[in-house]
C-alpha cells in the first residue's frame, strides 16, 4: 500500500525507494533517458537555435528542439543496429510503452516547461492529497520529476580544479 497522505511520500514499507513500486520497464526507460537526455548536444540553447533558424529548430517546429533531437537521434542509434538495440527482447507492446516513457522523460528536461512541472507536483504534494500511484498521469509525473532532478542537479555538484 502506498501512502497518499498530504506529504506525498512513499510509505515506509517501501523504504522510500521508487524501485520498490516502479516496474522494471519504467526504470529501464528512466535510466535510458538519463543516459541519452543530452545526446549529440550542440552546446547551444533551444532559444538560440530558434532565433538563428537552425535546421533542428525548423525540424522540431521551435518546440523542445534539443530534447526532441536528443531522443530522436538516440532512438535512431538504438534501432539502427542490432548490436545497440538492448530492447529487442521486449514484446511489441513493451517496446511501444518503453518508447513512450523514454520520450516523456527526455522531453521533461526542457527548461521552458520547468515551472509547469513544478506546479503540477506542488498541486499534488503541497496543496493536494499526494501522489496517487494508481493514476497513470501521477506515475508519469514521478518519472518526469526524477529525470528533471537528475538533470538540474549537475551544476550543484562539487567540482575541484
Amino acid at each position: 500500500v502506498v501512502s497518499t497522505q498530504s506529504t506525498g511520500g512513499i510509505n515506509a514499507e517501501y523504504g522510500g525507494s521508487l524501485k520498490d513500486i516502479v516496474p522494471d520497464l519504467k526504470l529501464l526507460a528512466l535510466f535510458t533517458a538519463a543516459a541519452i537526455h543530452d545526446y549529440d548536444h550542440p552546446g547551444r540553447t533551444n532559444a538560440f537555435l530558434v532565433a538563428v533558424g537552425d535546421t533542428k529548430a525548423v525540424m522540431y517546429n521551435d518546440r523542445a528542439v534539443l530534447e526532441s533531437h536528443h531522443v530522436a537521434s538516440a532512438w535512431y542509434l538504438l534501432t539502427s543496429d542490432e548490436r545497440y538495440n538492448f530492447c529487442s527482447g521486449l514484446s511489441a507492446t513493451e517496446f511501444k510503452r518503453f518508447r513512450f516513457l523514454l520520450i516523456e522523460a527526455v522531453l521533461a528536461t526542457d527548461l521552458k516547461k520547468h515551472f509547469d512541472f513544478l506546479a503540477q507536483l506542488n498541486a499534488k504534494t503541497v496543496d493536494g492529497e499526494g501522489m496517487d500511484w494508481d493514476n497513470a498521469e501521477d506515475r508519469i509525473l514521478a518519472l518526469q520529476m526524477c529525470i528533471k532532478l537528475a538533470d538540474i542537479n549537475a551544476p550543484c555538484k562539487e567540482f575541484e580544479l
Side-chain angles (χ1 to χ4, degrees):
V1 175
V2 178
S3 172
T4 56
Q5 297 173 350
S6 62
T7 61
I10 296 173
N11 191 309
E13 172 184 343
Y14 293 106
S17 176
L18 286 177
K19 74 176 178 57
D20 297 322
I21 59 172
V22 177
D24 290 344
L25 187 66
K26 286 184 181 163
L27 288 176
L28 179 63
L30 185 60
F31 294 146
T32 304
I36 70 163
H37 80 278
D38 275 337
Y39 176 72
D40 195 33
H41 200 294
R44 301 281 190 240
T45 66
N46 283 335
F48 177 84
L49 296 177
V50 169
V52 299
D54 187 88
T55 56
K56 287 178 185 67
V58 173
M59 180 182 296
Y60 298 114
N61 300 312
D62 299 341
R63 294 187 185 141
V65 174
L66 289 170
E67 295 74 22
S68 296
H69 173 71
H70 302 319
V71 75
S73 297
W75 187 258
Y76 176 76
L77 178 65
L78 172 69
T79 59
S80 67
D81 190 317
E82 289 180 17
R83 296 175 296 168
Y84 307 135
N85 192 350
F86 58 86
C87 297
S88 60
L90 297 176
S91 71
T93 301
E94 290 171 327
F95 194 75
K96 183 178 178 179
R97 183 69 178 161
F98 172 79
R99 177 170 161 75
F100 169 78
L101 294 169
L102 184 67
I103 291 168
E104 290 299 308
V106 174
L107 291 180
T109 65
D110 182 1
L111 286 177
K112 190 171 186 179
K113 300 284 186 177
H114 177 76
F115 291 102
D116 295 339
F117 283 109
L118 285 182
Q120 288 178 46
L121 183 66
N122 284 337
K124 293 284 183 180
T125 59
V126 176
D127 305 328
E129 297 295 318
M131 301 293 279
D132 176 1
W133 297 106
D134 292 326
N135 179 308
E137 289 180 11
D138 282 8
R139 292 191 310 267
I140 296 287
L141 179 60
L143 175 105
Q144 292 168 319
M145 291 309 298
C146 286
I147 190 73
K148 288 187 65 47
L149 292 170
D151 185 35
I152 64 174
N153 91 4
C156 298
K157 292 181 181 176
E158 187 173 320
F159 182 75
E160 292 187 33
L161 294 176

